[in-house]
Structure formats: structure tokens, C-alpha cells
Amino acid sequence: MTDKIDDILSSWNAGRNVLLYGPPATGKTRLISGLFDALNNPPESQRGILLDVSDAEMPFSRPAQEIKIPQPIKVVWTTFHQSYGYEDFVLGLRPEITSKGTCLQPWAGVFLDAALELTDPESEYKSVVIFIDEINRGNAARIFGEFMTFLDFDYRDDGSVPLPLPLRQLSYEDGKSEEIRRPGGKTTKIPEGFTFPKHIYIVSTMNSVDRAAVPIDSALARRFDRIEMRPNLDVLVNHWGLEKTAITTPTEDNWEDLTPFETGYLLLDRLNVAIASDLGPEFELGHGLLTPVLATKTTDSGTKEPVEEKAAWRSLAKTWDDVLFPQLEDRYSGRPEQLMDLLHVDTAPSVGDYAWNLRTAKGGTVQSRTLAPVRVSELDIDVIKRSFRWLTR
């Protein structure tokens, strides 16, 4: 995760905003949460080496991650959604009752308020970082409006071509705008020809598989550096304490000996290779979907001990029922044959019961090519083991 934070900081230093994209459960929100902490408490960097000749035992160490944007930093978090608009993010007009009647009062949205914060002489902040979660859940081009221009640092204060803010909704008198309401009860006026401050940085996230989302406008997308977040099996290796080199390819001779954690690792690997080949890598399953399966538990005394193997298999089966299989159903909606092929329905083990079967009618007269509904976690433990181990092949 630290190297990804380095990439984000490098993009900011180069005057670029950042878009994290990839399938769900690949750590996007966790990464920006880590970035949030790093802005206040920089972690150890993955680049550079410090030498301390006075420390004979550990003379070499890593420096703290360098945060080059001006501090102190104000952090703002927002989430785009289908009813989120320009009025929430840039500038809205709200009715207000006064002694002279009802009037429309300007209110600063998240983006404009960040600009006003940095030009407020009473503010302690030198930079503002805006975290936008699910940027493609709303109509991002409409939300940014003409302020899309100011995603480009060249058009901001100190840029190569600084441009004045195009706030035509405001009325001006004597070179000053009417009062603008801000969060927290503050009000401000901006001068004509006001330019957008330089030190406002954006990092956003986007799920690549979200079919309900609005595609990112190309003019908006090119104003972001894209950082791909992909499923990472090494996270599961660390999460379960596996020895990666000891995980073997399942064969006819060893598939029945796989542990629940080796099975989970190999299962996700096989499913993602199949999904990437069939639908594209953006539809793969994130490693975070399997992190609810735990290899250790905390005892009443506060110590950690390995979970029982049976409990681990049950946990894997429950995670499959509640999380993994619904994701597969969504990806293979309208393509039942491909899903059944993925589950080895027609090539089940020759001996013993198997979790996934075709649905049959009691009368036996109906030919079906439909999966029989099943809660794998409610099956006998031997069936759970056999089914998931077979699914790794």
C-alpha cells in the first residue's frame, strides 16, 4: 500500500489529480484511508535509505514518507451518487426568507469551499485534499460543470494560464460578489477576476464493474492520473500466514489434500483467470472478498490461536454463499452455461456428493439446464471440502 501512496503523492507533486480504479474489494477505500492517515502521520517510505553510523545493530533505515504539499492540510471526504449535483459540489442557490421577502442565497459546495478556505486570511490551512469515493456513481461531468477546467493545475493561480472563476450565478457590486454561505456558518465575498488556488488536490475511486454507474467523461478522465487497483493474492498469503512457494498446482494426486486456506487462494486465482479470459480483467473478484475467512482467533485471555480446520471450511463456505457466489451470478447474468462450466457442474468428481448440480423435477420428466439452489455452508463438511477443492482445478 505504501508504494501506491507514493504514486499518489508523486502525481500531486506533478500537478495531477488521481483516480484509483479496479474491481470491488481490491483495497481502494482502504488505500485512501491509509493516505488520510499518512497526511497527518507520514509512514515509512519504500524509497530511499538513511544511514545512522551510531547504530551498530541497525545502521540502515527508511526515511519517513515525504509529504511535499504545503501543510497544514484540510481533508474533505465526499461520495458521488445519482442525486449529487453541481449545487452540492460547486455552487448552489437556496431559498432564504428575509425581511424583504424570499431570495436565493448562494451556498458554496465542496470544491468551491476548498478554494475559499485557502483564500480566507483567518484559515490555518495551506492545502486542501478532497477524497471523492465512487466518482462514477454520479454524473461527474455535470457535477464539475465548468469547474472541470480547474482540475488542470495550469489554469489555477500560479499556473501557466490562470483563469478567473466563471461564477455567473453571482451578482457583483463594486468589484465584490454578493455574500456566499459556507459550511460552519461562515460567509465570504470574492473579488471579480478571482483565480482558483493552486493547492487543492483530488483523489477519487471508481469501481470498474459497476454497471449502474455513469461512464467517466473522457475530458474529465484525462485530467486524472489513473492508478489501477488489481486483485492481489499476496494479501491473502499474508492474511492467512501461507508460504507462497509451498502452494502447489492442484493435480489428480494432491487436490484432496489442500487446506482451506490453500483452497481459498487457488480458488480465487482460478476464478479470476477464467473471468478475465471471458469478461475482461475489470470484472475480476477482489481479494478483499475472502478476507472474512480468518486463520486465527482471539481467545478469552487475549492470545491468538489457529482456528479449527472445520471452522475454516465453514467460514469459506459462508463467504462463498454470502459474498463470492452473488458476485459470480451478477457477472454471469444471462449466461447460465458459462457459470455452470465455471462451477464444473458437468465434470463433477466421480466419487462422493458435489455442491453444484442441475435442478431436477420430482416427476423426472423435465429436462433442466438450471443450477439447483444451494447453501454450501449448510452441507456436510465432507461435501464442502470435496466441492471447493475440486473447484480449484
Side-chain angles (χ1 to χ4, degrees), residues 177-193:
S177 74
E178 60 185 302
E179 282 194 340
I180 303 171
R181 297 279 194 271
R182 295 180 55 199
K186 293 183 178 181
T187 61
T188 191
K189 295 182 178 182
I190 61 174
E192 287 185 291

Side-chain angles (χ1 to χ4, degrees), residues 314-349:
R314 291 283 181 197
S315 179
L316 178 61
K318 190 173 189 311
T319 301
W320 171 272
D321 289 335
D322 298 342
V323 182
L324 278 176
F325 187 65
Q327 293 277 337
L328 288 176
E329 283 188 304
D330 180 62
R331 284 157 173 75
Y332 285 91
S333 176
R335 305 177 68 193
E337 286 296 331
Q338 285 80 1
L339 180 58
M340 287 187 284
D341 183 59
L342 194 67
L343 299 178
H344 294 331
V345 172
D346 295 324
T347 54

